[in-house]
Amino acid sequence: MSAQSSYNKVLDLLKQHHKWFNESIPLIASENIPSAAVREAIVSDFGNRYAEGWPGERVYAGCIYIDEVELICNDLAKQVFKSEFADCRATSGVVANLAIYSAFSNPGDYMIAASIPSGGHISHGKKEHFGTAGLVHGLNIEHFPFSKEEMTIDVDATKKKIQEMILEGRSPKIAMFGGSLFLFPHPVKELSEFMHENNIYVNYDAAHVAGLIAGGEFQQPLSEGADSMTMSSHKTLWGPQGGIIVSYQKHAELIKKAIFPGNTSSHHLHHVAGKAIALAESLEFGKDYAIQVIKNAKKLAESLVERGFGILGEKRGYTQSHQIAVDVSKFGDGGTIEKDLEKGNIILNRQLLPGDIKAGKNYLHPSGVRIGTSEVTRLGMKESEMIEIAEFIKRIVVNKEDPLIVSKDIIEFKKGYQKVHYAFDNELGAYEYISLVKNKN
Ligand SMILES: Cc1ncc(COP(=O)(O)O)c(C=O)c1O
């Protein structure tokens, strides 16, 4: 392909993507749709600049306005997460986690975290699985004992496991709470004191649930005893892609150095501006949003159960977060179902469920799919729309209707949900493509 046609093709593909998402039901639990203001920040000149270091102590000139924005961003993060200290420079949730590993452990140390089938994230994972903690920072990983019935970490079994590790000379340096499949709060309150008594640093990875914590509708890890909280800025928190760390003043200097120079050089200043806007939106609209996200997730779970699906966490009402975990093994495997739904304009992802690895399943063909209600809620959907979504899913997965036929009804349905809600401004269409190129050939 010539340079000119590659150039044209990429611009065309971007437009096609926008059109497709405009006509689809977005249910990926780790995604959200930002406001027009966040999108404006992302295309600003901040994205072309460097500002290594801390506001007021930069390695570069040209940072007068950048410094002001970053200070506003840090102040907003402190307010939203009720923390003494915030650092908004991590360029992703993984980089935020890496900074915590760098600040509070050394290669060869142990960390305890959730396994992937129990909801853990690959950035908490072992070297042999190419997990960031093992591969990049040389940590040895042990897993929290997990109760499938309660869908959370087992407190007593964790204490026992850590006592055994201490006796064996393998005491963890870090306990990493939080995860990617995250239906119910983790026992931070129940375990933090025990961890601290044993000199174990407690981090809570709020990548998924940051927006719910911000809205006061999920556990509050810092007040429950966590030393720090890492997060992505773009999942239930609706900012641009990036990371944030909040903590106590006593840990500030170590965290700051671990971010720069430890784990970043450029820290994506356009995204810092976007994070500031997203945090301001969260302060204003975050509570109402978080309440509705969780109501929607519960309603979607109940509506899917009524249509024959198995949902994990039944004993506890399926979920207290934005996510639900659906066991689809009666109807096929998670990978095939993900693809069938995608053909019908329903975008979600397959999911390993607890017990899958032991049962010989792998991440390509697990027994589950994970659904998140963050984005559909930001588009203004409420409980009645969750019933409609459950019915669309049933038509493809249970009735085995042709996804292309179902997609026609989805395109009609989606016409009613074209704007971003819970924002200061919602004139622009949620997926409206903004073309900056004036004379495209
Ligand atoms: C628990 C958890 N931590 C960290 C991350 C990584 O975040 P990012 O994609 O911002 O690096 C994810 C991503 O899904 C996650 O689920």
Side-chain angles (χ1 to χ4, degrees):
M1 223 192 284
S2 71
Q4 182 72 61
S5 40
S6 305
Y7 171 94
N8 289 344
K9 179 82 183 161
V10 171
L11 291 172
D12 271 356
L13 289 170
L14 289 172
K15 279 190 191 149
Q16 283 181 48
H17 173 88
H18 276 246
K19 180 172 183 300
W20 184 35
F21 267 70
N22 207 24
E23 297 178 342
S24 299
I25 301 178
L27 295 170
I28 302 260
S30 53
E31 296 178 356
N32 211 327
I33 184 81
S35 65
V38 168
R39 287 172 71 188
E40 185 165 327
I42 293 172
V43 296
S44 73
D45 183 66
F46 271 32
N48 309 316
R49 304 297 147 207
Y50 266 89
E52 287 175 350
W54 195 251
E57 306 162 13
R58 303 296 195 185
V59 179
Y60 286 79
C63 300
I64 293 172
Y65 301 104
I66 291 166
D67 277 8
E68 259 193 77
V69 168
E70 192 167 315
L71 288 171
I72 292 172
C73 191
N74 290 343
D75 275 348
L76 284 164
K78 286 193 274 184
Q79 268 188 75
V80 167
F81 296 107
K82 301 176 182 63
S83 67
E84 290 177 5
F85 166 74
D87 188 330
C88 294
R89 295 175 298 170
T91 49
S92 74
V94 167
V95 170
N97 285 342
L98 257 177
I100 293 299
Y101 305 152
S102 316
F104 299 104
S105 68
N106 289 309
D109 286 342
Y110 283 79
M111 176 168 88
I112 188 160
S115 71
I116 289 181
S118 317
H121 185 250
I122 192 65
S123 63
H124 313 161
K126 296 183 181 193
K127 182 172 181 177
E128 54 266 45
H129 300 147
F130 296 91
T132 316
L135 191 73
V136 183
H137 195 60
L139 287 174
N140 296 299
I141 307 301
E142 288 286 338
H143 291 142
F144 281 120
F146 192 79
S147 158
K148 189 176 170 186
E149 204 174 299
E150 302 291 330
M151 283 304 287
T152 193
I153 292 163
D154 181 326
V155 173
D156 293 336
T158 295
K159 285 186 180 168
K160 190 160 168 269
K161 178 163 185 165
I162 287 181
Q163 274 153 353
E164 282 164 12
M165 287 177 71
I166 292 169
L167 287 176
E168 292 158 6
R170 302 186 303 126
S171 177
K173 272 281 172 58
I174 299 177
M176 173 66 91
F177 289 96
S180 303
L181 178 66
F182 204 1
L183 305 175
F184 301 102
H186 277 175
V188 179
K189 203 168 26 189
E190 293 79 354
L191 283 169
S192 282
E193 204 179 311
F194 171 84
M195 299 294 179
H196 290 144
E197 280 164 10
N198 290 293
N199 300 317
I200 302 167
Y201 182 89
V202 177
N203 185 69
Y204 183 99
D205 183 342
H208 264 269
V209 291
L212 308 181
I213 293 171
E217 294 300 312
F218 204 67
Q219 67 186 134
Q220 299 294 309
L222 290 181
S223 60
E224 290 172 25
D227 296 295
S228 54
M229 184 161 85
T230 47
M231 69 194 86
S232 300
S233 46
H234 51 271
K235 297 183 166 67
T236 51
L237 192 61
W238 40 36
Q241 292 194 332
I244 297 175
I245 305 177
V246 291
S247 183
Y248 290 91
Q249 202 52 47
K250 64 181 175 188
H251 299 307
E253 285 314 308
L254 269 177
I255 292 173
K256 280 161 73 171
K257 288 200 177 71
I259 286 287
F260 174 80
N263 285 282
T264 62
S265 173
S266 152
H267 61 276
H268 304 182
L269 306 164
H270 49 327
H271 286 206
V272 172
K275 288 173 201 176
I277 289 167
L279 288 164
E281 291 167 349
S282 185
L283 212 50
E284 186 76 15
F285 309 105
K287 184 155 197 77
D288 290 345
Y289 170 73
I291 290 172
Q292 192 61 48
V293 165
I294 297 165
K295 276 190 194 164
N296 283 353
K298 281 181 193 289
K299 189 66 190 179
L300 188 53
E302 287 159 13
S303 309
L304 286 168
V305 167
E306 284 163 14
R307 286 162 180 77
F309 289 89
I311 310 281
L312 273 63
E314 184 184 357
K315 194 179 154 208
R316 303 183 66 189
Y318 307 117
T319 187
Q320 289 171 12
S321 75
H322 60 304
Q323 296 186 3
I324 60 176
V326 190
D327 182 343
V328 290
S329 51
K330 265 199 285 181
F331 308 109
D333 74 87
T336 313
I337 285 171
E338 174 194 283
K339 287 276 165 291
D340 287 345
L341 290 167
E342 188 186 53
K343 283 184 212 143
N345 288 15
I346 297 177
I347 320 262
L348 48 67
N349 69 289
R350 62 185 183 273
Q351 177 70 44
L352 276 170
L353 299 181
D356 269 5
I357 299 285
K358 280 200 184 115
K361 304 200 170 164
N362 63 40
Y363 79 98
L364 290 172
H365 301 288
S367 60
V369 296
R370 183 185 67 170
I371 300 184
T373 54
S374 338
E375 190 160 343
V376 289
T377 306
R378 198 149 202 225
L379 294 170
M381 296 191 201
K382 298 226 161 74
E383 287 92 321
S384 59
E385 287 81 8
M386 298 305 112
I387 302 171
E388 291 190 68
I389 292 175
E391 187 58 27
F392 288 132
I393 293 174
K394 175 182 175 251
R395 285 173 59 189
I396 294 174
V397 177
V398 183
N399 305 355
K400 307 285 182 209
E401 253 188 78
D402 181 349
L404 288 177
I405 293 179
V406 181
S407 75
K408 295 204 169 67
D409 293 338
I410 289 179
I411 291 168
E412 270 313 298
F413 164 80
K414 189 68 185 309
K415 284 184 181 157
Y417 306 96
Q418 297 288 319
K419 291 284 170 74
V420 170
H421 292 241
Y422 309 96
F424 290 106
D425 180 288
N426 77 349
E427 283 302 303
L428 189 74
Y431 305 92
E432 195 172 324
Y433 189 80
I434 308 164
S435 191
L436 302 178
V437 180
K438 299 285 183 236
N439 296 311
K440 189 160 84 69
N441 289 315

